[in-house]
Amino acid sequence: MASQGVAPSGWAPVPVDAMALRLRPITPADHGALRAVYQHAVASQAPGLYSDAQVAAWSAVAVLPGLLDGVLAAGEGLLIEGDDGVEAFALLHPPHRLALLYCRGDRNRRGHGTRLLGALEGLARQRGQTHLVTEASLISRPLLERLGWRWVALERLTIGGVPFERHRLWRELRSEAMADGPTATPPG
């Protein structure tokens, strides 16, 4: 067993200065950067979980006109920005649905998803939401389930003519005062 503070051979942690990473609301000026994060996330994290055709179709959503425009324009979201630009983002649309959660592949596994989801859940509570729903990929499902989201159903869809499966998940947004009370049952 390695002693505390000693990394396994060949592994070196990337130092992350939380103060250098800013959490802020998404603005229309960010949409280009969000598309780049989306495309990078899919291209770097989906291979091995999805076929080459699925990765290509999914990645193309970021650049095809009109596909993300409505969600980005109408949704409410947050991003994490470092000195090198946007690293991750998440967006609610409509207000009870987590529509987008993406992190650059070279910036993942640093707590960005957890931080974004916690902030968005707080925002949703402030807006009067009692629960959130989402359609999770094989990439995001493990994180969401670790954070208390519950599986509801398997969904099938096509993107660019390519078949996909995704997982409908549900999360109750309980106030701190309700933390010890009963939980609701997700819609089925």
Side-chain angles (χ1 to χ4, degrees), residues 1-171:
M1 180 155 127
S3 63
Q4 187 174 8
V6 177
S9 177
W11 183 87
V14 177
V16 176
D17 179 0
M19 297 305 290
L21 297 175
R22 296 169 295 285
L23 177 70
R24 67 169 177 82
I26 292 171
T27 69
D30 298 316
H31 292 184
L34 301 183
R35 289 175 189 280
V37 170
Y38 182 111
Q39 195 167 32
H40 190 278
V42 173
S44 63
Q45 296 173 65
L49 296 171
Y50 293 91
S51 71
D52 291 344
Q54 288 173 316
V55 172
W58 188 5
S59 183
V61 169
V63 294
L64 293 174
L67 295 179
L68 284 182
D69 297 336
V71 173
L72 291 175
E76 182 174 21
L78 300 167
L79 61 77
I80 293 178
E81 183 176 49
D83 292 337
D84 295 329
V86 178
E87 297 191 4
F89 72 97
L91 187 131
L92 298 172
H93 180 68
H96 71 280
R97 178 176 168 259
L98 175 63
L100 300 170
L101 173 63
Y102 287 88
C103 180
R104 290 181 52 87
D106 59 351
R107 300 291 193 266
N108 69 348
R109 307 204 60 80
R110 296 179 187 198
H112 293 347
T114 301
R115 185 175 178 196
L116 286 164
L117 288 166
L120 278 184
E121 288 175 9
L123 184 64
R125 275 189 207 91
Q126 290 174 0
R127 304 282 192 268
Q129 299 302 316
T130 59
H131 70 278
L132 292 174
V133 296
T134 196
E135 303 83 30
S137 69
L138 293 173
I139 299 167
S140 62
R141 182 181 175 192
L143 169 65
L144 292 165
E145 288 181 333
R146 272 195 312 275
L147 295 175
W149 290 67
R150 295 171 55 186
W151 188 89
V152 176
L154 181 67
E155 297 181 348
R156 290 181 172 82
L157 71 149
T158 59
I159 300 174
V162 180
F164 281 81
E165 290 183 343
R166 63 186 182 187
H167 304 272
R168 179 163 289 276
L169 300 177
W170 180 89
R171 169 107 164 116

